Amino acid sequence: MTLIETKEKADRALLVSVDTGKFDAQSSLDELWDLAESAGAEPVLTVLQKLDRVESATYVGSGKLIEIKEICTSYEIDLIICDSELTPTQIKTLERECDVRTIDRTTLILDIFAQRAKSREGKLQVELAQLKYLLPRLTGKGIEMSRLGGGIGTRGPGETKLETDRRHIHRRMETLKAQLKEVESHRQRLRDRREKDGVITVAIVGYTNAGKSTLMNYLTDAGVLAQDKLFATLDPTSRALKLPGGVTVMLIDTVGLVRRLPHGLVEAFKSTLEEAAFSDIILNVCDASSDEAAVHMKVTVDLLSELGCGDTPIINVYNKCDKLSPLEIGTDDDKNVHISAKKGEGVEALLSAVENNLPVRIKRVKLMLPFSMAGVPNEIREKADLISENYTAEGIEIEAVIDEEMYRKLREYVIE
């Protein structure tokens, strides 16, 4: 007998938003559509209602609730996704009135993170964020509990953990925090080692689906998952990159961002995002072809400011310029570069900008060493970057990229 694998049917989703004027509701709803697709759902329709404030019991107005109920029946909707964080009462009311499983934007993002997390740290961070979000919503059993265990918005801790008492969940959260501290300590030791060894780090940050992983793959052949999906990459990846001038830097890909990213997720993934805070240079990548490019850039800049990256050189990398006309592409300089990571266009200008923003502790020099110092070239090979070595009548002529400590030792032999 042959077993035939059947693909799980995607949830048909209705997306609902209330526009109170606090943010661009239509753009956020468009992004919710992309998030739903990334989670594996099949968005069918959107409903947008303008209100002065959301209804405390039903999220939408009573008339709109009747319309949503009719849509769910007519279009065989399996899942309602609301573009705000819902209260337990709102979820209960929507599910009771429409007889359709209901989740909110935060649950959807948490679900995507649960799908994407591969590393131990990523999984720990996701579970902790899920428990923090779900704990105040454990008001009792019923449809809230029955919806755990299958489908979008149900991945993660699982039914058996969530049905236990609050004290047990608190204990689980404390265990997760302790395990994360161990992982963070390991990450800090790696950072300290890199700093001690004089390794320069360049962090790639930016809005989700801006092409960060595509850029990482093009520059380093890292093999990072690069798909046209939001949050295709969740766990950070590090690879060495040798610049044209001879300096080797450590390139780090970080998790993508979205507008109105739940605060709990920012907190949970702070240790991962701190890779940017501790880096020497930041590449802020955005999709230049998007109508929302300016908004996406601001989301990233605001988070970088929150992480304390004010003094770190930031290079704005406008990606996907192959989708723009030449008149729409700006001028490159040390702070702004226009590229197509997919086609490799503009990468030379990007690498040049990185070199021009290298920290002052790294110097490219030409030395004339006496023959008595014939062992120095080998030392440079081990600790720095030796570009060229020539034996002349005057001595050993060397061109190299060296750190500040080695520069001090060899300063008197510098000829250029």
Side-chain angles (χ1 to χ4, degrees), residues 3-52:
L3 292 175
I4 301 174
E5 289 188 11
T6 56
K7 191 175 181 181
E8 188 178 336
K9 178 179 172 290
D11 287 327
R12 291 172 57 81
L14 172 66
L15 312 185
V16 180
S17 177
V18 173
D19 183 2
T20 60
K22 290 184 179 179
F23 53 87
D24 187 338
Q26 185 58 57
S27 295
S28 185
L29 191 57
D30 292 342
E31 186 173 88
L32 189 70
W33 185 289
D34 291 337
L35 285 166
E37 287 185 328
S38 292
E42 180 190 340
V44 177
L45 287 172
T46 63
V47 173
L48 179 61
Q49 182 180 29
K50 284 195 174 186
L51 292 173
D52 293 332

Side-chain angles (χ1 to χ4, degrees), residues 2 13 23 87 161 175 179 195 197 225 229 264 271 327 369 396 415:
T2 305
F23 53 87
T87 65
K161 286 174 187 166
T175 301
Q179 291 175 340
E195 191 172 341
D197 293 344
L225 176 65
K229 286 184 177 181
S271 64
L327 293 175
L369 302 174
I396 310 169
I415 57 174

Side-chain angles (χ1 to χ4, degrees), residues 386-397:
L386 184 66
I387 297 170
S388 64
E389 176 185 6
N390 294 308
Y391 285 78
T392 69
E394 292 80 20
I396 310 169
E397 187 180 272

Side-chain angles (χ1 to χ4, degrees), residues 58-128:
T58 55
Y59 181 59
V60 294
S62 56
K64 189 62 70 174
L65 182 60
I66 294 171
E67 181 185 330
I68 290 171
K69 184 176 180 179
E70 290 173 353
I71 290 172
C72 289
T73 303
S74 301
Y75 289 87
E76 298 181 345
I77 299 298
D78 305 305
L79 178 67
I80 296 172
I81 307 175
C82 296
D83 196 28
S84 297
E85 196 164 291
L86 299 178
T87 65
T89 301
Q90 289 167 339
I91 293 173
K92 189 180 292 185
T93 303
L94 285 166
E95 290 186 328
R96 184 182 66 243
E97 295 296 323
C98 302
D99 194 27
V100 172
R101 190 159 53 87
T102 302
I103 64 172
D104 58 18
R105 181 185 179 91
T106 300
T107 304
L108 180 64
I109 294 175
L110 284 167
D111 184 272
I112 296 171
F113 272 49
Q115 292 181 49
R116 304 286 192 269
K118 302 298 179 190
S119 70
R120 177 170 175 260
E121 180 180 18
K123 290 175 181 177
L124 290 172
Q125 287 168 328
V126 169
E127 184 177 354
L128 181 59

Side-chain angles (χ1 to χ4, degrees), residues 127-144:
E127 184 177 354
L128 181 59
Q130 287 175 316
L131 288 174
K132 280 183 177 179
Y133 176 74
L134 290 169
L135 183 61
R137 288 164 171 78
L138 294 180
T139 54
K141 297 179 183 178
I143 191 164
E144 311 101 282

Side-chain angles (χ1 to χ4, degrees), residues 250-263:
M250 184 68 71
L251 200 61
I252 302 172
D253 189 14
T254 61
V255 63
L257 309 172
V258 293
R259 77 190 84 201
R260 297 166 57 223
L261 188 65
H263 182 71

